[in-house]
Amino acid sequence: MLYCPPAFRIEERDDLFAHMEGRPFALLITNGADGPLVSHVPMLLERDRGAHGVLAGHLAKANGHWQAGDISAPGLAVFPGPDAYITPSWYPSKQEHGRVVPTWNYTVVHARGPVRFIEDDAWLLGLVTRLTDRHEAGRAAPWAVSDAPDRFIEMQVKGIVGFELEIATLEGKAKLSQNREMVDREGVVAGLEGEEGGEVMRKLVKGAMGEG
């Protein structure tokens, strides 16, 4: 379960999907005999399959995750988004009453559901082709799976195992200073402008303030 006070909750499914598609490098988590098993992999969202969509990806066959995971229990895919440290020095209310503490702003989506692993070569070839086409789209000279020799691709496919996670529940959180007074939120926006890598979070906080 994702701890998510109402002020931070992402409610709309399209917004959850947009986050997942915009940040496709995710964590696949399943139960193992000695605790959670975690792999970091790009995932492809198929919005129109199942009740809430299906996630697909692949692991190296040498990665014991797929054999050691207990797939009788639901798996979890975690899609982290932008994050940033927020210093209370940015809050004007610090000068007023001093009742402020540091925090961290971030966005994240959790997708939970049954997982199955797939060893079918034709399915795997279709998956890596779709993944490649998705991430090569828009490049000046996009690479395609068909650019490589057929035999080479066949051998690469034999070295991986696929998975699908059928999404049963989706939870999203966007902690963007919504719990602060407007003057403090404006202070966060101003403070992030001078932070290395802070521009993305600055835009998100402004968006949560309705400023676009």
Side-chain angles (χ1 to χ4, degrees), residues 36-121:
L37 299 168
V38 184
S39 292
H40 300 254
V41 289
M43 297 189 196
L44 188 69
L45 172 64
E46 300 180 50
R47 291 186 177 217
D48 299 327
R49 290 183 58 200
H52 303 289
V54 171
L55 294 166
H58 62 84
L59 308 174
K61 249 182 191 172
N63 181 347
H65 185 159
W66 71 282
Q67 291 173 311
D70 174 12
I71 58 174
S72 66
L76 175 66
V78 177
F79 293 79
D83 68 274
Y85 173 74
I86 307 299
T87 171
S89 298
W90 292 338
Y91 300 153
S93 61
K94 174 180 179 289
Q95 306 303 323
E96 180 183 346
H97 51 65
R99 295 190 299 274
V100 294
V101 293
T103 191
W104 212 281
N105 277 1
Y106 62 95
T107 64
V108 69
V109 168
H110 287 191
R112 192 183 305 270
V115 176
R116 70 184 185 107
F117 290 102
I118 303 164
E119 295 184 77
D120 180 79
D121 287 355

Side-chain angles (χ1 to χ4, degrees), residues 36-37 46 50 60 65 69-70 80 83 102 118 124 132 142 154-155 167 171 178 183 207 210:
L37 299 168
E46 300 180 50
H65 185 159
D70 174 12
D83 68 274
I118 303 164
L124 287 164
T132 299
E154 288 173 12
M155 296 305 295
I167 301 171
E171 298 175 295
Q178 300 98 317
V183 66

Side-chain angles (χ1 to χ4, degrees), residues 21-22 32 36 46 48 60 64 85-86 102-103 123 131 140 156 160-161 200:
E21 290 171 336
E46 300 180 50
D48 299 327
Y85 173 74
I86 307 299
T103 191
W123 186 95
L131 274 169
Q156 295 297 303
I160 61 176
V161 61
V200 172

